[in-house]
Amino acid sequence: MVANNEEAVVAALTLKSIPKDIHRELRRRAVRHHRSLNSEIIACLEQVLGAGRIDADLLLSSARALRAKFKGKVTGPALNRLKNHGRA
């Protein structure tokens, strides 16, 4: 959404010499997500570049739900072991 009735600036980009396996995977992802190839590439770029918008309320409610689920079950040392070694 554009604020203050400003026009959105949209740039065109041409991709060249895309390896066949990458092109094939982009096509598969586009079909799986019900998007055009162009829309899938934009979605991939947004994800990688962090351009997607974050719903702070949704993120906070998810964090609170996780905290309630694991309250008292995960200790600091156990968490560090999981981060460092992948096992509790």
Side-chain angles (χ1 to χ4, degrees):
M1 175 171 265
V2 180
N4 300 327
N5 294 326
E6 296 175 10
E7 289 188 34
V9 177
V10 180
L13 178 67
T14 301
L15 299 174
K16 297 179 181 180
S17 303
I18 299 172
K20 287 183 182 183
D21 56 334
I22 292 175
H23 183 262
R24 191 176 310 117
E25 182 57 28
L26 283 167
R27 281 254 179 238
R28 286 183 186 140
R29 289 175 55 104
V31 169
R32 189 168 55 242
H33 296 131
H34 306 284
R35 295 191 260 237
S36 67
L37 182 58
N38 187 72
S39 293
E40 185 62 33
I41 291 168
I42 291 171
C44 289
L45 289 171
E46 286 176 341
Q47 184 178 19
V48 169
L49 299 174
R53 295 180 186 256
I54 296 173
D55 183 338
D57 292 330
L58 180 60
L59 185 60
L60 183 58
S61 66
S62 297
R64 286 181 175 151
L66 282 171
R67 182 184 297 158
K69 182 178 179 181
F70 293 104
K71 188 173 184 179
K73 295 181 182 178
V74 179
T75 63
L79 184 58
N80 285 334
R81 282 194 305 274
L82 286 168
K83 288 192 287 188
N84 294 328
H85 303 291
R87 52 185 178 263

